[in-house]
Structures are given as C-alpha cells and as structure tokens.
Amino acid sequence: MAPLNIAIIGSGLSGLSLALALHQQNIPCTIYESHLAPLNIGGAVMLSPNALKILDALGVYERVRAKGYNFETLEYKNGTGELLEVYEFGGKEKYGYEALRIYRTVLIDELLAMLKEKNIAIVFGKKFTKVVAETEKDVTWDFQDGSSQTADILVGADGIHSTVRRYLYPDLVPAFTGMAGITAAVPTAQLKLPPGYHIPVTIMTPSGGFKRMGDGFDRAGWERYMADKDALVAFLQEDASGFPAMVQNAVSHIPHAKINVWPFYVVPKLERWASEKRRVVILGDGAHAIPPSAGQGINQAFEDGYMFALLLGQADKVEMQDALSFWQEYRQERIAKVMWVNRQIDLRRMPKEAQTSGEVIEEIELSWLYLPNFKDDVESWVRGKLEKGN
Ligand SMILES: Cc1cc2nc3c(=O)[nH]c(=O)nc-3n(C[C@H](O)[C@H](O)[C@H](O)COP(=O)(O)OP(=O)(O)OC[C@H]3O[C@@H](n4cnc5c(N)ncnc54)[C@H](O)[C@@H]3O)c2cc1C
C-alpha cells in the first residue's frame, strides 16, 4: 500500500525538487518552511549533468537553461596564466548536458512557480520543532506555533543544521571545518578579460587564497562575521596584488548585496537516513554535507529526492523498509565516490609543500557521476525483488 501523504520540512532546493518529483509519481505532499518566504542564501550554484537530467525529467531544465551560464569545463590556472588542470563540469556530447551556473534565487523562483502551477502546497512560517509520536503507520510532530500535524512520512529537507535529524541523532552537531568560502558576484565586464579568455576559471597563487580564521568562528561567530560586509570586502581585496589584473579588477568594486559566506561544516557518514519505523527520513544537506570542492552539494541533494520519489512510486510492489535500505545504500555509495573526487581536487589545489599525507593524485573519471540512470536502477531493483518474491 503506497504512502499517501508526505510532509517535507524545508523549502530549500532539496525540498522543492522533492515535491515536484513526488508529484510526478502522483504522491501528494505539503512543504513546511520556517521562514515567511523562501530562504535566499544567495549566490549561484553549479549544476552538473547528473542533476540536470533530473531537472529535465521534472520539466525544470527547459525553463531555467537560458537563465544561467552554460559551460563545459572549469580551468585551473596559476598567477602567470599557465593552465594547470581542466575539470569537466558537463559536456553536451559526452554527458548529454552542458553544466549550468545559475543564481540560486532564479532556480528557487522557477521551482516555486512550478509548485504553484501544480497546486502543491507550501506553508511558510511553520517551524518544525520535534517529532512527538511515530507508529508503524504514521508520524506526528509539533511546530513552534503550538500546532501539530500528522503524515504518512515526514521528510527532513531542512539543511545542514537539520532539526528533523535530531529525532534520529539527538546529539549530532555538524563539525565546522575551520574553512569558509567568501564569494562575491560582479559583472563580467568589470573583469576586463583578455579576448577569448575561458571562464569559469580558478586562479591559484602560492598562498592559494587561504587564510586561517581564529577560534570563536562557530556558527554564531560566522553569522556575526557575515553581517559585516565591509570586513568581507576588505578580506576579498586583501591579497589581490598577488593575483593577475583581472582578479584585481574583480575585487575593485564589490556590491555588498552580492557577497556570500559559506562556512564548511561536515556531517559524518550516518548509519541511517530513516527512523526504525521508517516514517521519518532525512535527505539533502541534513543527511550528508558534502564539502564544496567538486561542487556536488546541491547536485547530490537533487539525486536524493528524485530517487526517493521513484522508490515511493513503487511502494505498492515492494516493502518500504527494503526500498529505503536500497535508497540509502545506493545514495551513500555515490556520495562516498563524490568524497573521493573532492579529495582528489583538494590534492590538486593544495600547495605542493602542504601535500604531506602521502595520498596519490589519480585521474578523475566522471562518467559514473554524470551518466547515472536512476529510473533503470530503481526498476531493475524492483524487478529483482519481485522475482525473488520480495
Ligand atoms: C553560499 C553558498 C554557496 C553554495 N554553492 C554551491 C554550489 O555552487 N554547488 C553546490 O552543489 N552546492 C553549493 N552550496 C551547497 C548547497 O547550497 C547545499 O548543498 C544546498 O543548499 C542544500 O539544500 P537543502 O535543501 O538540503 O538545504 P538548505 O538549502 O539549507 O534548505 C533548508 C531549508 O529548510 C528550512 N528549515 C530549516 N529548519 C527548519 C525547520 N525547523 N522548520 C521548517 N523549515 C526549516 C530552511 O529555512 C531552508 O529553507 C552552497 C552553499 C552556500 C551556503
């Protein structure tokens, strides 16, 4: 018997895309978001073919493709312009899609418009606080405003500091890595790029642009730091003289509204993404915070939700418990491989003298990442289960 009613906590990209994927499987859902409007944490995200294939299947890709920057490779150069490495982020011929860099808010707005067109409910100003009861059939939880709600399944898509996750892991606090990305967007014309210059590009000087922050940079510390826009501009301008002219041009004028701080936290590999009775599930950043090196954080979150919806769509044929175990194993296996890619990219970016771990730089082959076939994989798993008599 298929679960009929799914509640999603969080209207970030995980929650919004999951709602569309469930709708495609004819599974009703409601999203509850603590803020009064969609949270725009700003900046742009880079989407690779694995996620774009999902967005295509959900009817989103065609609506957003022309609203961002389409590209295939990311180049790494040193301060003198020497090309050090080329990293594929997409490829029309090879992977079916160019990569797409798009402002998060543009993507969120489009997803919201689609939810509206499909009459998928989203309730703002509803902050989830705790699960109060879980049975074999359903789950009940509280909101901060004193109201409660019950659904067949509650999905925590509530980000890296997930409150839903506390039901599964009461003591888990994501660890701050001591690093953060401080980013800003400026008009391309401001860079005065030489004709034909390839972007996106990462330019690395010997210091690598790294700066150790002092102690006290816990979550609250970062929130204070993020609020001081002048300090952030000063930080970005500080070492610019060691970089080529285009970087100096880039930081010559930085609008406050275009600055973003992304503190990197890690969530350890979790033993389970679902409660014992399988009525509470976590996904996206709440289940696995992926460091940014391979740019897969949001791409993997799209995979989580899409695959979860495909499996729920088969819930009348297979046991939920088995489907969720398969989902988690499948997802964690891919995420472990993404972590390997991240590490390989970090090794390449690190100054040589800092590479003391003895790890070897290996070739990065990406077809497993960019050419997944989730539908086939789910269907063949279901077929296998049915042949074995479940
Ligand atoms: C500045 C920045 C740049 C980034 N750039 C990239 C990139 O280029 N590529 C990439 O792949 N990844 C990038 N990431 C990471 C990426 O943004 C995350 O992986 C992604 O946002 C995770 O989506 P999510 O929906 O799981 O969580 P979130 O985006 O964090 O959304 C969670 C939502 O849940 C809501 N919520 C939280 N608690 C509650 C509650 N108790 N009740 C109700 N609602 C709640 C929040 O308000 C929020 O709307 C970036 C992150 C940052 C901060």
Side-chain angles (χ1 to χ4, degrees), residues 197-216:
Y197 193 90
H198 180 280
I199 46 173
V201 62
T202 298
I203 300 172
M204 297 176 297
T205 62
S207 79
F210 288 109
K211 181 163 141 175
R212 249 265 138 236
M213 307 307 286
D215 289 339

Side-chain angles (χ1 to χ4, degrees), residues 9-14 32-35 39 41 44-46 104 126-128 157-159 163 260 262 284-285 295-299:
I9 303 297
S11 70
L13 289 172
S14 299
Y32 300 95
E33 164 61 47
S34 59
H35 289 84
L39 183 64
I41 57 173
V45 290
M46 297 209 286
R104 184 189 300 266
K126 281 292 214 186
K127 184 168 186 169
F128 165 92
D158 51 342
T163 314
N260 257 295
W262 179 7
D285 269 17
Q296 279 295 313
I298 195 54
N299 291 287

Side-chain angles (χ1 to χ4, degrees), residues 67-107:
K67 294 185 175 177
Y69 179 70
N70 294 272
F71 67 99
E72 300 209 333
T73 57
L74 176 63
E75 292 190 349
Y76 291 91
K77 291 185 174 177
N78 66 16
T80 62
E82 186 193 346
L83 182 64
L84 304 175
E85 179 99 24
V86 176
Y87 181 73
E88 288 178 321
F89 218 92
K92 180 96 186 105
E93 293 276 303
K94 203 167 163 187
Y95 304 120
Y97 299 89
E98 290 179 291
L100 176 66
R101 183 170 172 84
I102 186 164
Y103 278 119
R104 184 189 300 266
T105 165
V106 172
L107 191 52

Side-chain angles (χ1 to χ4, degrees), residues 100-310:
L100 176 66
R101 183 170 172 84
I102 186 164
Y103 278 119
R104 184 189 300 266
T105 165
V106 172
L107 191 52
I108 285 185
D109 284 351
E110 205 59 52
L111 289 169
L112 283 170
M114 291 184 73
L115 256 56
K116 201 167 176 196
E117 287 159 21
K118 294 174 193 305
N119 289 320
I120 301 172
I122 169 161
V123 191
F124 291 105
K126 281 292 214 186
K127 184 168 186 169
F128 165 92
T129 52
K130 61 177 189 305
V131 171
V132 287
E134 185 186 7
T135 69
E136 299 294 335
K137 271 188 17 257
D138 58 24
V139 50
T140 302
W141 67 94
D142 284 349
F143 290 110
Q144 200 175 42
D145 61 10
S147 61
S148 312
Q149 194 65 251
T150 297
D152 295 318
I153 294 182
L154 172 72
V155 180
D158 51 342
I160 187 147
H161 301 292
S162 169
T163 314
V164 177
R165 187 181 57 217
R166 278 188 213 148
Y167 179 62
L168 306 180
Y169 293 93
D171 301 322
L172 193 146
V173 179
F176 177 48
T177 57
M179 287 198 284
I182 298 177
T183 66
V186 297
T188 313
Q190 184 178 322
L191 309 183
K192 301 198 180 73
L193 292 173
Y197 193 90
H198 180 280
I199 46 173
V201 62
T202 298
I203 300 172
M204 297 176 297
T205 62
S207 79
F210 288 109
K211 181 163 141 175
R212 249 265 138 236
M213 307 307 286
D215 289 339
F217 275 82
D218 55 5
R219 194 175 169 194
W222 277 109
E223 266 156 28
R224 276 194 303 278
Y225 192 65
M226 277 159 84
D228 187 351
K229 301 290 183 197
D230 286 330
L232 294 173
V233 170
F235 174 84
L236 287 170
Q237 291 175 336
E238 206 166 289
D239 295 323
S241 60
F243 283 87
M246 71 188 79
V247 177
Q248 296 177 34
N249 296 337
V251 297
S252 61
H253 175 69
I254 301 173
H256 280 186
K258 297 284 186 181
I259 302 176
N260 257 295
V261 180
W262 179 7
F264 304 148
Y265 289 90
V266 283
V267 172
K269 185 178 170 193
L270 300 178
E271 220 170 281
R272 53 204 170 90
W273 291 3
S275 58
E276 233 157 82
K277 296 195 175 88
R278 302 294 197 270
R279 298 288 148 187
V280 182
V281 173
I282 51 172
L283 48 68
D285 269 17
H288 51 70
I290 301 175
S293 317
Q296 279 295 313
I298 195 54
N299 291 287
Q300 291 304 307
F302 286 132
E303 289 191 12
D304 288 347
Y306 184 63
M307 186 108 187
F308 178 74
L310 287 177

Side-chain angles (χ1 to χ4, degrees), residues 55-70:
L55 293 180
D56 206 3
L58 297 177
V60 183
Y61 180 60
E62 273 314 308
R63 296 171 65 138
V64 297
R65 192 177 56 84
K67 294 185 175 177
Y69 179 70
N70 294 272

Side-chain angles (χ1 to χ4, degrees), residues 345-388:
I345 293 175
D346 288 346
L347 285 174
R348 286 162 166 79
R349 282 178 178 172
M350 252 181 229
K352 292 248 171 337
E353 54 283 8
Q355 293 177 13
T356 52
S357 64
E359 289 162 282
V360 181
I361 294 185
E362 294 172 56
E363 199 184 322
I364 304 176
E365 197 282 320
L366 291 165
S367 56
W368 64 269
L369 178 59
Y370 294 157
L371 288 172
N373 204 330
F374 303 112
K375 263 188 158 165
D376 282 2
D377 291 348
V378 165
E379 278 165 17
S380 78
W381 177 77
V382 171
R383 252 195 326 276
K385 287 302 276 179
L386 293 176
E387 276 162 18
K388 277 196 224 144

